[in-house]
C-alpha cells in the first residue's frame, strides 16, 4: 500500500505533489512509489554503464562494466568502452593514455610485431646484414637487406 508501508507513511516518505515558482523557473515535485523509484534508479545506472568511460579508461571485460585505467601500451578516448592497443611498431609506458599520440615508434633499425607493447624493450634490432631506415617497423621482414658489398653488424 502506498500510503503506509515499510518505507513510512506518505506524510514522511513522499510529500503531496506541489508547484513552487522560483524566479523564472518552476519547481515540480512528484510522488513516486518505491517500485517506480527503483525502476528509475536502475534505468539511470544502465544508461551510465552504456555511455562508456572517461578518456584513459575502459572496461576490463565485456561482462564487467566498471571503468578502470588503461595499462601501458594502450589508450582510450572519451566514451570508449575498451582500451585500444598501440599498433605494432610502437610502444607506450604511459598508463591512462587518452590518445594514440602516446604510442612511440620503435627507433630506426628496430621493429616490433607486438600490439600493446609497454616499453621500448619490445623493439628488436634488425638482424645483422639487414637495416631499417624508418621508425616504427612492424616486422623483421621490414628490415631491408644490405646492398651487395655493404654490411651491418647492428642494423
Amino acid at each position: 500500500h502506498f500510503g503506509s508501508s515499510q518505507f513510512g507513511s506518505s506524510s514522511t516518505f513522499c510529500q503531496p505533489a506541489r508547484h513552487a515558482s522560483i524566479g523564472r523557473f518552476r519547481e515540480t515535485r512528484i510522488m513516486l512509489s518505491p517500485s517506480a523509484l527503483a525502476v528509475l534508479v536502475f534505468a539511470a545506472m544502465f544508461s551510465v554503464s552504456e555511455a562508456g568511460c572517461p578518456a584513459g579508461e575502459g572496461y576490463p571485460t565485456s561482462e564487467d562494466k566498471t571503468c578502470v585505467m588503461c595499462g601501458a601500451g594502450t589508450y582510450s578516448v572519451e566514451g570508449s568502452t575498451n582500451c585500444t592497443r598501440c599498433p605494432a611498431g610502437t610502444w607506450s609506458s604511459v598508463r591512462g593514455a587518452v590518445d594514440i599520440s602516446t604510442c612511440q615508434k620503435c627507433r630506426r633499425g628496430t621493429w616490433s610485431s607486438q600490439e600493446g607493447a609497454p616499453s621500448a624493450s619490445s623493439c628488436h634490432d634488425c638482424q645483422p646484414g639487414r637495416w631499417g631506415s624508418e621508425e616504427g617497423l612492424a616486422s623483421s621482414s621490414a628490415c631491408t637487406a644490405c646492398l651487395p658489398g655493404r654490411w651491418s653488424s647492428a642494423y
Side-chain angles (χ1 to χ4, degrees):
H1 178 262
F2 181 70
S4 62
S5 69
Q6 64 182 357
F7 298 103
S9 70
S10 62
S11 62
T12 59
F13 182 69
C14 293
Q15 299 297 316
R18 58 184 166 184
H19 301 281
S21 294
I22 303 173
R24 295 182 352 200
F25 302 100
R26 182 176 168 161
E27 178 182 298
T28 301
R29 296 183 186 180
I30 58 171
M31 293 186 298
L32 291 175
S33 69
S35 59
L37 182 60
V39 168
L40 286 175
V41 169
F42 177 78
M45 288 171 49
F46 181 74
S47 66
V48 168
S49 69
E50 293 302 312
C53 297
E57 297 183 8
Y59 299 152
T61 66
S62 59
E63 293 81 32
D64 186 353
K65 305 288 188 196
T66 304
C67 298
V68 297
M69 183 182 292
C70 294
T74 65
Y75 65 93
S76 76
V77 297
E78 183 76 29
S80 180
T81 57
N82 298 324
C83 297
T84 303
R85 293 178 180 168
C86 289
T90 67
W91 62 275
S92 176
S93 61
V94 177
R95 291 177 41 88
V98 298
D99 61 48
I100 196 170
S101 68
T102 59
C103 302
Q104 303 296 307
K105 291 181 178 181
C106 291
R107 65 180 171 77
R108 288 176 19 182
T110 65
W111 62 275
S112 176
S113 60
Q114 180 181 350
E115 293 182 350
S119 69
S121 65
S122 300
C123 301
H124 308 285
D125 289 334
C126 291
Q127 296 175 338
R130 301 182 75 80
W131 62 286
S133 63
E134 298 176 19
E135 295 178 328
L137 299 180
S139 71
S140 63
S141 63
C143 297
T144 307
C146 295
L147 296 173
R150 306 276 183 174
W151 63 276
S152 171
S153 61
Y155 50 83

